[in-house]
Amino acid sequence: MSVADNIGKIEERIANACIRSGRKREDITFMAVTKFQELGAIKEAWNAGLRCFGESRVQEAAAKFDGFRDEHPGTELHFIGSLQRNKVKSAVSMFDCIQSVDRESLALELIKHSEERGSPSGSPLPILLEFRTGEDSKSGFIGLDELFRVTELILGCSSLEVRGLMTMAPFTDDEAALRAAFRRLVKVRGELEQRFPGKENWACLSMGMSGDFEIAVEEGSTLLRIGGAVFGG
Ligand SMILES: *Cc1c(COP(=O)(O)O)cnc(C)c1O
């Protein structure tokens, strides 16, 4: 199966999940997670129509995407991994969105470096707050208190823009557990929306991977991060 075939199959499954749940396909972004993938495979995904890509390491992303982006304008590159303090400076100059803001110290570092960044457009850097919904994931906010505190910090910073939440569901094929995790994220989004009104701040729900993206669509995901099912693995 080629990458294009895989993407076609996934699109079909997304479309069916949309029908089942009364959702619109255009409200959902299908991101290809390209960590460990070579440039050739990434180009195949681009040629099949994907424009949004996710990487989990800053150096790996730079090595692959610096040139790629010059040749493929319209590429959107998101950071989805665990971001170390000493990589924040390069990350804010490279990525179109940091999806994995998972602790206060990282938020502070992002505030500092995004203020220094001075993007050509001068527009703020979009970020998502990562919430922990699965016990085996090591990252993500656990409690609402810290999440509220960090949200307040970021909303007070004009060089960052909160767009919503991200989560990794538990590694299981227990459908009920997966649904519960996604619903938890929707609920947390509701709490944030109530406390910090502003529709555009909470529009994005990044949830759903190769093993659970249909359930994620049914539960309200707006951004699917799919690696293995795209590239085969
Ligand atoms: C690797 C990764 C994915 C993609 O996982 P697959 O199961 O390969 O689709 C999604 N999100 C994050 C944060 C990842 O690290």
PDB file of all heavy atoms in Angstrom, residues 31 33 35-36 56 80-81 99-100 130 166-168 171 208-211 224-230 233, ligand 1:
ATOM      1  N   MET A  31      -3.763  15.697  10.169  1.00  0.00           N
ATOM      2  CA  MET A  31      -2.323  15.951  10.193  1.00  0.00           C
ATOM      3  C   MET A  31      -1.560  14.639  10.057  1.00  0.00           C
ATOM      4  O   MET A  31      -1.917  13.639  10.685  1.00  0.00           O
ATOM      5  CB  MET A  31      -1.947  16.615  11.513  1.00  0.00           C
ATOM      6  CG  MET A  31      -0.487  16.420  11.882  1.00  0.00           C
ATOM      7  SD  MET A  31      -0.127  16.928  13.559  1.00  0.00           S
ATOM      8  CE  MET A  31      -0.084  18.660  13.281  1.00  0.00           C
ATOM      9  N   VAL A  33       1.673  12.683  11.055  1.00  0.00           N
ATOM     10  CA  VAL A  33       2.792  12.710  12.001  1.00  0.00           C
ATOM     11  C   VAL A  33       3.999  12.079  11.310  1.00  0.00           C
ATOM     12  O   VAL A  33       3.985  10.901  10.966  1.00  0.00           O
ATOM     13  CB  VAL A  33       2.437  11.970  13.296  1.00  0.00           C
ATOM     14  CG1 VAL A  33       3.645  11.887  14.215  1.00  0.00           C
ATOM     15  CG2 VAL A  33       1.285  12.683  14.004  1.00  0.00           C
ATOM     16  N   LYS A  35       7.310  12.016  12.293  1.00  0.00           N
ATOM     17  CA  LYS A  35       8.505  11.621  13.053  1.00  0.00           C
ATOM     18  C   LYS A  35       9.014  10.283  12.521  1.00  0.00           C
ATOM     19  O   LYS A  35       8.213   9.394  12.219  1.00  0.00           O
ATOM     20  CB  LYS A  35       8.185  11.541  14.541  1.00  0.00           C
ATOM     21  CG  LYS A  35       7.177  10.492  14.891  1.00  0.00           C
ATOM     22  CD  LYS A  35       6.950  10.415  16.408  1.00  0.00           C
ATOM     23  CE  LYS A  35       6.007   9.280  16.723  1.00  0.00           C
ATOM     24  NZ  LYS A  35       4.975   9.614  17.701  1.00  0.00           N
ATOM     25  N   PHE A  36      10.303  10.142  12.432  1.00  0.00           N
ATOM     26  CA  PHE A  36      10.997   8.953  11.906  1.00  0.00           C
ATOM     27  C   PHE A  36      10.786   8.727  10.409  1.00  0.00           C
ATOM     28  O   PHE A  36      11.294   7.763   9.853  1.00  0.00           O
ATOM     29  CB  PHE A  36      10.599   7.661  12.649  1.00  0.00           C
ATOM     30  CG  PHE A  36      10.576   7.765  14.140  1.00  0.00           C
ATOM     31  CD1 PHE A  36       9.524   7.237  14.881  1.00  0.00           C
ATOM     32  CD2 PHE A  36      11.611   8.406  14.827  1.00  0.00           C
ATOM     33  CE1 PHE A  36       9.498   7.331  16.266  1.00  0.00           C
ATOM     34  CE2 PHE A  36      11.587   8.499  16.209  1.00  0.00           C
ATOM     35  CZ  PHE A  36      10.530   7.963  16.927  1.00  0.00           C
ATOM     36  N   SER A  56       8.003  15.468  16.484  1.00  0.00           N
ATOM     37  CA  SER A  56       8.155  15.463  17.934  1.00  0.00           C
ATOM     38  C   SER A  56       9.581  15.768  18.384  1.00  0.00           C
ATOM     39  O   SER A  56       9.863  15.717  19.574  1.00  0.00           O
ATOM     40  CB  SER A  56       7.686  14.133  18.509  1.00  0.00           C
ATOM     41  OG  SER A  56       8.381  13.088  17.901  1.00  0.00           O
ATOM     42  N   ILE A  80       4.681  18.343  18.362  1.00  0.00           N
ATOM     43  CA  ILE A  80       3.768  17.533  19.172  1.00  0.00           C
ATOM     44  C   ILE A  80       4.483  16.731  20.255  1.00  0.00           C
ATOM     45  O   ILE A  80       3.861  15.927  20.930  1.00  0.00           O
ATOM     46  CB  ILE A  80       2.951  16.559  18.283  1.00  0.00           C
ATOM     47  CG1 ILE A  80       3.885  15.601  17.533  1.00  0.00           C
ATOM     48  CG2 ILE A  80       2.066  17.317  17.298  1.00  0.00           C
ATOM     49  CD1 ILE A  80       3.134  14.472  16.827  1.00  0.00           C
ATOM     50  N   GLY A  81       5.779  16.928  20.404  1.00  0.00           N
ATOM     51  CA  GLY A  81       6.533  16.092  21.341  1.00  0.00           C
ATOM     52  C   GLY A  81       6.800  16.773  22.665  1.00  0.00           C
ATOM     53  O   GLY A  81       6.240  17.817  22.984  1.00  0.00           O
ATOM     54  N   GLN A  99       1.859  22.158  20.043  1.00  0.00           N
ATOM     55  CA  GLN A  99       0.659  21.488  20.569  1.00  0.00           C
ATOM     56  C   GLN A  99       0.845  20.935  21.971  1.00  0.00           C
ATOM     57  O   GLN A  99      -0.129  20.525  22.588  1.00  0.00           O
ATOM     58  CB  GLN A  99       0.300  20.295  19.676  1.00  0.00           C
ATOM     59  CG  GLN A  99      -0.224  20.658  18.311  1.00  0.00           C
ATOM     60  CD  GLN A  99      -1.053  19.520  17.718  1.00  0.00           C
ATOM     61  OE1 GLN A  99      -1.335  18.528  18.380  1.00  0.00           O
ATOM     62  NE2 GLN A  99      -1.460  19.694  16.486  1.00  0.00           N
ATOM     63  N   SER A 100       2.089  20.851  22.419  1.00  0.00           N
ATOM     64  CA  SER A 100       2.368  20.064  23.614  1.00  0.00           C
ATOM     65  C   SER A 100       2.851  20.922  24.777  1.00  0.00           C
ATOM     66  O   SER A 100       3.856  20.612  25.403  1.00  0.00           O
ATOM     67  CB  SER A 100       3.405  18.995  23.261  1.00  0.00           C
ATOM     68  OG  SER A 100       4.400  19.540  22.402  1.00  0.00           O
ATOM     69  N   GLU A 130      -1.648  20.770  26.590  1.00  0.00           N
ATOM     70  CA  GLU A 130      -1.801  19.311  26.613  1.00  0.00           C
ATOM     71  C   GLU A 130      -2.342  18.853  27.949  1.00  0.00           C
ATOM     72  O   GLU A 130      -1.777  19.158  29.003  1.00  0.00           O
ATOM     73  CB  GLU A 130      -0.452  18.635  26.320  1.00  0.00           C
ATOM     74  CG  GLU A 130      -0.577  17.115  26.316  1.00  0.00           C
ATOM     75  CD  GLU A 130       0.716  16.408  25.925  1.00  0.00           C
ATOM     76  OE1 GLU A 130       1.707  17.087  25.589  1.00  0.00           O
ATOM     77  OE2 GLU A 130       0.718  15.159  25.975  1.00  0.00           O
ATOM     78  N   MET A 166      -4.895  19.575  23.590  1.00  0.00           N
ATOM     79  CA  MET A 166      -4.381  18.365  22.957  1.00  0.00           C
ATOM     80  C   MET A 166      -4.342  17.261  23.993  1.00  0.00           C
ATOM     81  O   MET A 166      -4.131  17.536  25.184  1.00  0.00           O
ATOM     82  CB  MET A 166      -2.968  18.656  22.436  1.00  0.00           C
ATOM     83  CG  MET A 166      -2.315  17.551  21.668  1.00  0.00           C
ATOM     84  SD  MET A 166      -1.370  16.416  22.659  1.00  0.00           S
ATOM     85  CE  MET A 166       0.202  16.545  21.854  1.00  0.00           C
ATOM     86  N   THR A 167      -4.568  16.027  23.555  1.00  0.00           N
ATOM     87  CA  THR A 167      -4.371  14.908  24.480  1.00  0.00           C
ATOM     88  C   THR A 167      -3.930  13.666  23.726  1.00  0.00           C
ATOM     89  O   THR A 167      -4.150  13.532  22.525  1.00  0.00           O
ATOM     90  CB  THR A 167      -5.646  14.579  25.287  1.00  0.00           C
ATOM     91  OG1 THR A 167      -5.270  13.837  26.458  1.00  0.00           O
ATOM     92  CG2 THR A 167      -6.652  13.751  24.499  1.00  0.00           C
ATOM     93  N   MET A 168      -3.279  12.770  24.458  1.00  0.00           N
ATOM     94  CA  MET A 168      -3.025  11.419  23.981  1.00  0.00           C
ATOM     95  C   MET A 168      -3.870  10.494  24.825  1.00  0.00           C
ATOM     96  O   MET A 168      -3.702  10.433  26.037  1.00  0.00           O
ATOM     97  CB  MET A 168      -1.545  11.053  24.141  1.00  0.00           C
ATOM     98  CG  MET A 168      -0.683  11.806  23.156  1.00  0.00           C
ATOM     99  SD  MET A 168       1.068  11.430  23.333  1.00  0.00           S
ATOM    100  CE  MET A 168       1.154   9.795  22.629  1.00  0.00           C
ATOM    101  N   PHE A 171      -3.182   4.054  25.793  1.00  0.00           N
ATOM    102  CA  PHE A 171      -2.841   3.054  24.774  1.00  0.00           C
ATOM    103  C   PHE A 171      -3.644   1.791  25.027  1.00  0.00           C
ATOM    104  O   PHE A 171      -3.221   0.897  25.737  1.00  0.00           O
ATOM    105  CB  PHE A 171      -1.342   2.738  24.813  1.00  0.00           C
ATOM    106  CG  PHE A 171      -0.490   3.950  24.595  1.00  0.00           C
ATOM    107  CD1 PHE A 171       0.275   4.472  25.619  1.00  0.00           C
ATOM    108  CD2 PHE A 171      -0.474   4.584  23.357  1.00  0.00           C
ATOM    109  CE1 PHE A 171       1.054   5.607  25.420  1.00  0.00           C
ATOM    110  CE2 PHE A 171       0.303   5.720  23.156  1.00  0.00           C
ATOM    111  CZ  PHE A 171       1.058   6.234  24.186  1.00  0.00           C
ATOM    112  N   GLY A 208      -6.919  11.988  18.727  1.00  0.00           N
ATOM    113  CA  GLY A 208      -7.125  10.941  17.732  1.00  0.00           C
ATOM    114  C   GLY A 208      -5.831  10.627  17.006  1.00  0.00           C
ATOM    115  O   GLY A 208      -5.206  11.523  16.444  1.00  0.00           O
ATOM    116  N   MET A 209      -5.430   9.337  17.051  1.00  0.00           N
ATOM    117  CA  MET A 209      -4.219   8.861  16.395  1.00  0.00           C
ATOM    118  C   MET A 209      -4.611   7.636  15.553  1.00  0.00           C
ATOM    119  O   MET A 209      -5.793   7.350  15.392  1.00  0.00           O
ATOM    120  CB  MET A 209      -3.158   8.513  17.448  1.00  0.00           C
ATOM    121  CG  MET A 209      -2.924   9.683  18.368  1.00  0.00           C
ATOM    122  SD  MET A 209      -1.796   9.530  19.785  1.00  0.00           S
ATOM    123  CE  MET A 209      -0.817   8.105  19.522  1.00  0.00           C
ATOM    124  N   SER A 210      -3.623   6.915  15.052  1.00  0.00           N
ATOM    125  CA  SER A 210      -3.931   5.808  14.133  1.00  0.00           C
ATOM    126  C   SER A 210      -4.964   4.829  14.697  1.00  0.00           C
ATOM    127  O   SER A 210      -5.845   4.375  13.987  1.00  0.00           O
ATOM    128  CB  SER A 210      -2.663   5.030  13.785  1.00  0.00           C
ATOM    129  OG  SER A 210      -1.818   5.839  13.016  1.00  0.00           O
ATOM    130  N   GLY A 211      -4.840   4.519  15.979  1.00  0.00           N
ATOM    131  CA  GLY A 211      -5.680   3.476  16.548  1.00  0.00           C
ATOM    132  C   GLY A 211      -7.042   3.942  17.022  1.00  0.00           C
ATOM    133  O   GLY A 211      -7.890   3.111  17.361  1.00  0.00           O
ATOM    134  N   LEU A 224      -6.667  15.582  13.854  1.00  0.00           N
ATOM    135  CA  LEU A 224      -6.212  14.203  14.016  1.00  0.00           C
ATOM    136  C   LEU A 224      -4.723  14.143  13.752  1.00  0.00           C
ATOM    137  O   LEU A 224      -4.242  14.699  12.766  1.00  0.00           O
ATOM    138  CB  LEU A 224      -6.955  13.301  13.022  1.00  0.00           C
ATOM    139  CG  LEU A 224      -8.481  13.373  13.082  1.00  0.00           C
ATOM    140  CD1 LEU A 224      -9.091  12.637  11.890  1.00  0.00           C
ATOM    141  CD2 LEU A 224      -9.008  12.811  14.395  1.00  0.00           C
ATOM    142  N   ARG A 225      -3.994  13.476  14.623  1.00  0.00           N
ATOM    143  CA  ARG A 225      -2.548  13.324  14.451  1.00  0.00           C
ATOM    144  C   ARG A 225      -2.264  11.868  14.104  1.00  0.00           C
ATOM    145  O   ARG A 225      -2.266  11.006  14.972  1.00  0.00           O
ATOM    146  CB  ARG A 225      -1.822  13.686  15.756  1.00  0.00           C
ATOM    147  CG  ARG A 225      -2.215  15.041  16.350  1.00  0.00           C
ATOM    148  CD  ARG A 225      -1.421  15.303  17.622  1.00  0.00           C
ATOM    149  NE  ARG A 225      -1.470  14.188  18.551  1.00  0.00           N
ATOM    150  CZ  ARG A 225      -2.375  14.036  19.515  1.00  0.00           C
ATOM    151  NH1 ARG A 225      -3.307  14.948  19.707  1.00  0.00           N
ATOM    152  NH2 ARG A 225      -2.346  12.985  20.306  1.00  0.00           N
ATOM    153  N   ILE A 226      -2.035  11.600  12.828  1.00  0.00           N
ATOM    154  CA  ILE A 226      -1.957  10.212  12.383  1.00  0.00           C
ATOM    155  C   ILE A 226      -0.597   9.909  11.763  1.00  0.00           C
ATOM    156  O   ILE A 226      -0.178  10.575  10.813  1.00  0.00           O
ATOM    157  CB  ILE A 226      -3.099   9.899  11.399  1.00  0.00           C
ATOM    158  CG1 ILE A 226      -4.452  10.274  12.034  1.00  0.00           C
ATOM    159  CG2 ILE A 226      -3.084   8.428  11.014  1.00  0.00           C
ATOM    160  CD1 ILE A 226      -5.658  10.018  11.158  1.00  0.00           C
ATOM    161  N   GLY A 227       0.093   8.937  12.341  1.00  0.00           N
ATOM    162  CA  GLY A 227       1.410   8.558  11.842  1.00  0.00           C
ATOM    163  C   GLY A 227       1.384   7.196  11.161  1.00  0.00           C
ATOM    164  O   GLY A 227       1.377   7.082   9.943  1.00  0.00           O
ATOM    165  N   GLY A 228       1.357   6.151  11.976  1.00  0.00           N
ATOM    166  CA  GLY A 228       1.450   4.782  11.477  1.00  0.00           C
ATOM    167  C   GLY A 228       0.484   4.450  10.354  1.00  0.00           C
ATOM    168  O   GLY A 228       0.878   3.828   9.360  1.00  0.00           O
ATOM    169  N   ALA A 229      -0.755   4.840  10.478  1.00  0.00           N
ATOM    170  CA  ALA A 229      -1.753   4.486   9.461  1.00  0.00           C
ATOM    171  C   ALA A 229      -1.491   5.190   8.134  1.00  0.00           C
ATOM    172  O   ALA A 229      -1.938   4.735   7.082  1.00  0.00           O
ATOM    173  CB  ALA A 229      -3.164   4.808   9.969  1.00  0.00           C
ATOM    174  N   VAL A 230      -0.755   6.300   8.155  1.00  0.00           N
ATOM    175  CA  VAL A 230      -0.408   7.002   6.912  1.00  0.00           C
ATOM    176  C   VAL A 230       0.802   6.341   6.262  1.00  0.00           C
ATOM    177  O   VAL A 230       0.815   6.086   5.050  1.00  0.00           O
ATOM    178  CB  VAL A 230      -0.082   8.492   7.188  1.00  0.00           C
ATOM    179  CG1 VAL A 230       0.505   9.152   5.937  1.00  0.00           C
ATOM    180  CG2 VAL A 230      -1.325   9.236   7.655  1.00  0.00           C
ATOM    181  N   GLY A 233       3.126   1.185   9.460  1.00  0.00           N
ATOM    182  CA  GLY A 233       4.066   0.860  10.540  1.00  0.00           C
ATOM    183  C   GLY A 233       3.324   0.717  11.828  1.00  0.00           C
ATOM    184  O   GLY A 233       2.141   0.879  11.907  1.00  0.00           O
TER     185      GLY A 233
HETATM  186  C1  LIG B   1       3.617   9.574  17.276  1.00  0.00           C
HETATM  187  C2  LIG B   1       2.521  10.433  17.720  1.00  0.00           C
HETATM  188  C3  LIG B   1       1.268  10.406  17.078  1.00  0.00           C
HETATM  189  C4  LIG B   1       0.938   9.460  15.948  1.00  0.00           C
HETATM  190  O1  LIG B   1       0.730   8.180  16.445  1.00  0.00           O
HETATM  191  P1  LIG B   1       0.280   6.982  15.467  1.00  0.00           P
HETATM  192  O2  LIG B   1      -0.256   5.968  16.407  1.00  0.00           O
HETATM  193  O3  LIG B   1       1.492   6.553  14.737  1.00  0.00           O
HETATM  194  O4  LIG B   1      -0.772   7.518  14.561  1.00  0.00           O
HETATM  195  C5  LIG B   1       0.308  11.296  17.517  1.00  0.00           C
HETATM  196  N1  LIG B   1       0.538  12.166  18.528  1.00  0.00           N
HETATM  197  C6  LIG B   1       1.726  12.213  19.163  1.00  0.00           C
HETATM  198  C7  LIG B   1       1.900  13.189  20.265  1.00  0.00           C
HETATM  199  C8  LIG B   1       2.742  11.350  18.794  1.00  0.00           C
HETATM  200  O5  LIG B   1       3.907  11.401  19.444  1.00  0.00           O
END
